[in-house]
Amino acid sequence: MNNRTGLFDVVNILLLGLFACMMLFPFVHMAAVSISSADSVVENRVGLWPDGFRLDAYAAVFQDNRILVGYRNTLMYVVLGTTLSLLFTTIGAYSLSRRNLVFGKAFMLMIVFTMLFSGGLIPTYLTVRSYHLLDTIWAMVLPGLVSSWYLIIMRTFFQGLPRELEESGKIDGLSDLGILLRIVLPLSKPVIMTISLFYAVQIWGNFFYALIFIRKADLFPLQVMIRNIVMMGQTSDMTTSSAVGDKKVVLESLKYAVILVGTLPIMLVYPFIQKHFVKGAMMGSVKG
């Protein structure tokens, strides 16, 4: 049994290492291309290691005001959207986790129904327009404010907490809101951190709402700029471009630099939340 277990661990580590290398390869290659010299990129001599260290692409990216505006808007959407989404998800999940909630099962059926069927793009657009949310920051926040899946995960987590703790809070005179703030939330750090990460990543990478609901360039998130540059590279035969910044840089380096600039910040958040990630997701999804 020990030999089999040891063999399984070795094979498992090798497979996970292989998958990790496969996942890291695109990022390493993009990073190498983005800091390589123009001649090396044009002649396709760059692999996993940069050839001729140059930072022209990053200089062009950070000198362009549109990138800074996109960063500002994206950070605003992430902070505002994650805060509101977590607030309403927590309130809704705690309410649905109460066994004495009137029509609780009916509410859950309606929530599950939205996971299977949706109104579609046109009704969503008409709804956003009817509330005069077009070309506002709320168009990036309110349409996807609460995810049914995340709501169910948090509700299941709350249901798994010992009832004795809440009963002791009621004996001490706490209201339902007091129990939530003083007992439930301090014990729910794993699921709160996990759901926060889910919402933040979702909002950070959301460019579809901006394409549909926003026309003002000063409200575009960073991802729209990345999309425009990548699409320009796919539909153009130019070797160099001045789409970002005032100086011409190699188009391939420019695309990869912009992608990395837009991706790395949210990736840097993972190490600080990773220890809560598995516990929060698993404890919120095991029980029915």
Side-chain angles (χ1 to χ4, degrees):
M1 180 63 68
N2 293 334
N3 293 334
R4 292 181 179 179
T5 304
L7 179 61
F8 173 79
D9 292 339
V10 171
V11 174
N12 196 25
I13 292 174
L14 291 177
L15 289 177
L16 291 178
L18 178 61
F19 289 146
C21 292
M22 292 172 61
M23 298 298 177
L24 289 175
F25 173 78
F27 294 97
V28 176
H29 177 68
M30 285 192 297
V33 172
S34 64
I35 60 176
S36 296
S37 63
D39 294 337
S40 300
V41 176
V42 173
E43 296 174 5
N44 198 23
R45 299 201 309 261
V46 183
L48 296 178
W49 193 257
D51 187 0
F53 184 78
R54 297 294 296 272
L55 295 176
D56 293 343
Y58 290 97
V61 168
F62 288 108
Q63 289 175 2
D64 192 281
N65 185 60
R66 292 171 295 177
I67 296 294
L68 300 179
V69 171
Y71 252 118
R72 181 201 65 189
N73 293 336
T74 298
L75 290 175
M76 177 176 60
Y77 298 146
V78 169
V79 173
L80 179 62
T82 303
T83 302
L84 293 178
S85 295
L86 190 62
L87 173 63
F88 285 96
T89 301
T90 302
I91 294 175
Y94 181 71
S95 301
L96 292 171
S97 67
R98 302 302 88 195
R99 297 179 179 177
N100 58 350
L101 177 65
V102 181
F103 302 121
K105 292 184 178 180
F107 289 140
M108 280 304 305
L109 289 176
M110 289 188 287
I111 292 173
V112 173
F113 182 84
T114 63
M115 299 175 63
L116 303 176
F117 304 96
S118 63
L121 178 60
I122 295 178
T124 302
Y125 178 84
L126 294 177
T127 301
V128 172
R129 188 182 68 174
S130 65
Y131 283 100
H132 306 288
L133 299 179
L134 297 179
D135 290 327
T136 66
I137 62 175
W138 302 109
M140 294 291 295
V141 175
L142 295 183
L145 185 64
V146 177
S147 168
S148 300
W149 175 244
Y150 302 156
L151 179 67
I152 293 175
I153 291 178
M154 187 170 287
R155 164 187 170 268
T156 306
F157 187 94
F158 289 158
Q159 286 181 332
L161 296 177
R163 296 294 177 183
E164 292 78 8
L165 295 175
E166 301 180 20
E167 293 175 357
S168 64
K170 291 182 180 180
I171 294 175
D172 292 336
L174 292 178
S175 62
D176 288 337
L177 181 60
I179 294 173
L180 174 62
L181 296 178
R182 298 189 179 186
I183 298 178
V184 175
L185 291 185
L187 297 174
S188 305
K189 185 177 180 180
V191 73
I192 290 175
M193 298 295 288
T194 302
I195 299 301
S196 299
L197 178 62
F198 286 161
Y199 276 125
V201 172
Q202 177 179 305
I203 298 173
W204 183 276
N206 185 9
F207 70 92
F208 183 73
Y209 283 174
L211 294 178
I212 302 300
F213 302 138
I214 295 180
R215 294 293 179 268
K216 295 181 180 179
D218 57 347
L219 292 177
F220 282 160
L222 180 63
Q223 305 304 327
V224 172
M225 177 59 67
I226 295 176
R227 173 189 176 274
N228 293 338
I229 294 176
V230 172
M231 292 296 294
M232 179 191 66
Q234 293 177 349
T235 59
S236 174
D237 295 330
M238 295 184 300
T239 302
T240 61
S241 173
S242 57
V244 177
D246 298 328
K247 60 188 300 185
K248 288 185 176 295
V249 295
V250 178
L251 185 60
E252 198 76 6
S253 299
L254 180 62
K255 289 194 302 180
Y256 290 162
V258 174
I259 291 174
L260 289 175
V261 166
T263 305
L264 287 179
I266 196 66
M267 290 179 63
L268 295 177
V269 178
Y270 275 93
F272 299 98
I273 305 180
Q274 183 180 8
K275 62 181 180 179
H276 304 289
F277 185 83
V278 175
K279 183 178 179 182
M282 292 300 295
M283 292 185 66
S285 59
V286 173
K287 294 183 63 177

